Structures are given as structure tokens and as C-alpha cells.
Amino acid sequence: MHRLRAAIQNGQREIRVQFFIGSHEDAFVAAVQANISHGLPLSLADREAATARILSSHPQWSDRAIGEVVGLAATTIAKIRARSAPEQAQPEARIGRDGRVRPINGAVGRRLAGKLFAERPGASLREIAELAGISPATALDVRERLRRGEDPVPAKQLLAEQRKRDAAEAPKPVRFHRHRRVPDADLALRKLQRDPSLRLTETGRGLLRLLSTRSLKSTEWAGIQGEIPAHCVPLVADLALSLADEWANFAEALKTRARTDLAGS
């Protein structure tokens, strides 16, 4: 696009081009590859942005395959993929630089190979490996394990699978978002102070006292901070952060209770 615009501004009527037939997504990949190889390569930020876009359009590509396109290490691609994973579904297998499809979870391919060995006892290692999406060496290992009466999946992989399942099934902690603020804190406090269920109980009155005495507005601390002695500033700051963390934990506990009450109603 930049070359075309420059040609138009220079009054040119013709420009040399290379036609590309394919989807917009594939055209973007081709453009990134071209920009990586010429004399003015993309910046690191541009390459990382291109990686995120390619991961969205080609999630089935392996980290090494995408790294080859954008000029980044596979480990960097993996980190960017991990950040974007919650926002998009990830396939169970990926296509490598050689065009071969390999399962992300090696245990899946091993179990499939074990099933295929039982169903096709006369099949070659290469045939089983191709059908299961694993390497011939892995297929050989699976066959030897089956002959010994062992699980086709090594204990280390089984443990990793269990940990992954445990992590997926674990309840997600409720996070306190500091950027969420009550539009009018004074109005909210006055509303709570008028609530009989709080005013007429000892616990409620204690909560109202805490909310009243430990609140601090920007208009208040703006005038206070300049008057604090220099040698006290670090200690006051640490204490303020500690109090903020305690309130954050209290807020998380309340959010959890609110969700529990909602689910039970």
C-alpha cells in the first residue's frame, strides 16, 4: 500500500506487482514474510502485533511455524499464545513447519496409537505413527510399552495431565478490580448508614465506623501528602498499601459470598 501511494504521488501510471490469490488472512501472512526479509524489517512491536493477529487467524500453526513467518523465537510465540489463549479456542493439534499435523497433548496421540496397534496388529510403525499424528519413534515406544503390559503414556505425562485437569477444575478466585469505583462514595456511605439492618446491630455499626474512619478521598490526601514529614513518607506509604490490601481481601470475600448467594437463590 505504501509503494502504491508513493507511486501515485510521484505521478506514475504503472507499478510492478506480484499477484496473490488467497484469503485476506493468508495475504497478511505473505505481507509479513515480505516485510521480514527486505532491507527495512518490521520492528519488534510490529512483529509481536503480527504474531497476535496470525495466532487469531491461524491458531492451528505451531509456534515454530509462526516464528519463521514473523522472525521471532518459538518461545516468544508461545508466550504471546498463552496471553491470547483465554480469548480464543485452541486446537488439539498443530501444523508444523514441515506441514505435518502433531497433537499438542502427546498423550492423546499415544493412546490413539495404542488403540490402533490393537485394531491393526499387522500395521507398520510408520502407518500407525501417521494415523496417530506421532513420530515413528514414539509409535515404537508405545508398542514396546504395550508388549510389557504398561500404559502407552509415560507416568510423567500422566502426572502432567492430572495436574492440568486439577487446575482446570479448581475454583477460580474472585479478583478485586481496583479500577472499579463507586460513582459517589459519600452517597453510598449515607445509604448504608440509613439501613436499619446495619444501624441496629453491633456488627453493622462497627462496619459503618470502619467505612467512615478509613475512607480517604483524593481531595483529602492531596492536602495531606505535602505535610507528611519526609522521614515518615515511606512508612505511611507502606501502611496505606497494607490497609488497601486488607480492604481488597475483604472485597474479594464479599464478591465470593455474593456469587454464592446468587447461585443459591
Side-chain angles (χ1 to χ4, degrees), residues 219-233:
T219 54
E220 295 172 338
W221 64 253
I224 295 174
Q225 63 171 341
E227 301 299 325
I228 301 175
H231 68 279
C232 296
V233 168

Side-chain angles (χ1 to χ4, degrees), residues 116-203:
L116 291 171
F117 275 124
E119 295 175 350
R120 308 183 183 190
S124 66
L125 286 174
R126 188 169 296 279
E127 182 182 353
I128 296 296
E130 186 173 348
L131 290 172
I134 59 178
S135 67
T138 303
L140 174 61
D141 182 68
V142 170
R143 188 175 67 181
E144 294 302 316
R145 285 178 174 276
L146 292 175
R147 285 178 178 175
R148 296 193 299 266
E150 300 175 1
D151 194 296
V153 183
K156 186 176 181 180
Q157 281 185 274
L158 289 173
L159 181 60
E161 270 193 324
Q162 185 59 49
R163 287 176 176 172
K164 188 174 182 180
R165 284 195 296 269
D166 292 343
E169 295 171 0
K172 299 295 186 294
V174 180
R175 297 298 179 188
F176 176 75
H177 300 281
R178 294 183 182 273
H179 65 276
R180 293 182 182 175
R181 294 179 177 272
V182 178
D184 191 332
D186 288 336
L187 179 62
L189 182 58
R190 288 196 297 271
K191 184 176 180 181
L192 290 174
Q193 289 171 335
R194 291 194 300 268
D195 193 314
S197 60
L198 291 177
R199 287 192 300 108
L200 301 180
T201 64
E202 185 62 33
T203 301

